[in-house]
């Protein structure tokens, strides 16, 4: 019997703000969401009578995304946001989902993300780097859509930040060291998975891909501030090189 709490089995509602997301992210978005669960519901909101959503129309069928029509009643007012928020709350109250994926760079969804989390569900946010911090921090995890673009991801990996540059990033160093210290055992060793989970709680937007590394262990190795111990069954532990084992 499969565990319904397993990440691959968690039911997710994916809601996309077509006015604040680009269709070119769709392939990467689909691959990213699979990491967190099953997209049981996929809806995208916008005024489909306008020409600016033509790019989305071309990809909706291939990805089985249901378009929700929302006319603009007044110029300058975003009725799409309201429709998406109302739908999200309706879906929330069905109690059929373990998490929500909110795809937008709009701060109007900050309170929605907070409200969903208040119900004990996980919120994954997806947006551009211009996304207001309030919305980013209201999510359990926030993925900047630049890492979902194949060409830009490749360019990023070609320009991996080297050890000296990484060490100069005080925020990154403090975040990593703080996480390792928080979940380490008496010998100073910390399970890398637990380190990653702790970092996510501290910084929802953290992603090793922003530094040019596809995996957290690669970033840790590049920092050259931690010992890495690869143990049985692929488990990885890390320890701050400044730590001294007890006598």
């Amino acid at each position: 019997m499969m565990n319904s709490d397993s990440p691959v089995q968690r039911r997710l509602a994916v809601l996309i703000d077509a006015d604040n997301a680009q269709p070119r992210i769709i392939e990467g978005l689909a691959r990213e969401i699979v990491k967190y669960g099953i997209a049981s519901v996929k809806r995208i909101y916008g005024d489909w009578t306008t020409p600016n959503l033509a790019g989305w129309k071309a990809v909706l069928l291939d990805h089985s995304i249901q378009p929700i029509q929302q006319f603009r009643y007044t110029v300058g007012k975003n009725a799409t946001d309201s429709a998406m928020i109302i739908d999200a709350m309706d879906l929330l109250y069905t109690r059929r989902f373990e998490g929500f994926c909110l795809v937008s760079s709009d701060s109007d969804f900050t309170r929605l993300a907070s409200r969903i989390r208040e119900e004990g569900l996980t919120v994954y946010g997806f947006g551009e780097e211009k996304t207001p911090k309030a919305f980013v921090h209201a999510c359990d995890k926030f993925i900047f859509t630049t890492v979902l673009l194949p060409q830009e991801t490749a360019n990023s990996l070609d320009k991996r930040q080297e050890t000296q540059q990484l060490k100069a990033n005080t925020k990154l160093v403090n975040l990593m060291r703080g996480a390792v210290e928080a979940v380490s055992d008496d010998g100073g060793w910390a399970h890398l998975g637990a380190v990653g989970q702790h970092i996510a709680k501290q910084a929802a937007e953290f992603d090793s891909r922003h530094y040019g590394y596809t995996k957290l262990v690669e970033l840790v190795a590049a920092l050259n501030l931690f010992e890495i111990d690869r143990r049985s069954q692929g488990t990885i532990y890390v320890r701050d090189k400044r730590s001294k084992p007890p006598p």
Side-chain angles (χ1 to χ4, degrees), residues 13 15 85-97 99-100 112 114-121:
L15 308 181
I85 291 170
I86 291 171
D87 253 15
M89 295 306 296
D90 286 344
L91 292 170
L92 174 64
Y93 291 135
T94 66
R95 310 295 180 187
R96 293 189 292 113
F97 304 93
F100 278 71
L112 174 62
S114 299
R115 182 67 185 87
I116 294 172
R117 291 181 68 186
E118 287 172 4
E119 291 295 317
L121 278 67

Side-chain angles (χ1 to χ4, degrees), residues 22-224:
Q22 300 298 319
R24 57 185 179 149
I25 70 169
I26 190 62
E27 297 287 347
L29 178 66
R31 288 194 298 269
E32 189 74 15
I33 290 174
V34 169
K35 298 178 183 178
Y36 310 117
I38 299 172
S40 299
V41 167
K42 293 182 285 185
R43 298 178 183 175
I44 184 167
Y45 301 79
D47 184 352
W48 301 99
T49 64
T50 59
N52 60 303
L53 298 186
W56 274 113
K57 290 180 182 178
V59 301
L60 296 185
L61 185 61
D62 289 342
H63 293 273
S64 300
I65 303 174
Q66 179 185 3
I68 305 297
Q69 170 63 29
Q70 181 58 54
F71 290 103
R72 297 181 180 180
Y73 300 118
T74 306
V75 176
K77 298 293 184 179
N78 196 344
T80 298
D81 291 0
S82 299
M84 183 167 155
I85 291 170
I86 291 171
D87 253 15
M89 295 306 296
D90 286 344
L91 292 170
L92 174 64
Y93 291 135
T94 66
R95 310 295 180 187
R96 293 189 292 113
F97 304 93
E98 285 76 47
F100 278 71
C101 298
L102 304 179
V103 186
S104 179
S105 303
D106 195 333
S107 63
D108 287 350
F109 298 108
T110 301
R111 179 57 186 141
L112 174 62
S114 299
R115 182 67 185 87
I116 294 172
R117 291 181 68 186
E118 287 172 4
E119 291 295 317
L121 278 67
T122 305
V123 177
Y124 303 98
F126 298 82
E128 299 177 11
E129 296 195 24
K130 66 179 182 181
T131 305
K133 292 294 184 183
F135 180 33
V136 172
H137 295 157
C139 300
D140 290 284
K141 183 174 181 60
F142 197 93
I143 298 93
F144 289 124
T145 51
T146 50
V147 302
L148 305 180
L149 303 174
Q151 183 177 357
E152 294 186 37
T153 299
N155 290 340
S156 175
L157 293 176
D158 288 339
K159 300 176 182 178
R160 285 183 169 183
Q161 295 186 22
E162 301 298 332
T163 299
Q164 184 176 359
Q165 187 177 2
L166 293 171
K167 285 183 175 180
N169 188 331
T170 304
K171 181 179 179 180
L172 172 63
V173 171
N174 290 341
L175 184 65
M176 293 295 302
R177 279 181 164 158
V180 170
E181 181 180 358
V183 301
S184 62
D185 58 22
D186 292 339
W189 289 102
H191 188 283
L192 187 62
V195 171
Q197 292 173 5
H198 187 83
I199 290 174
K201 294 177 182 178
Q202 300 296 312
E205 73 278 17
F206 176 84
D207 195 319
S208 61
R209 290 172 291 186
H210 292 307
Y211 306 96
Y213 297 89
T214 56
K215 297 181 179 179
L216 179 58
V217 66
E218 296 174 351
L219 176 60
V220 171
L223 270 167
N224 197 28

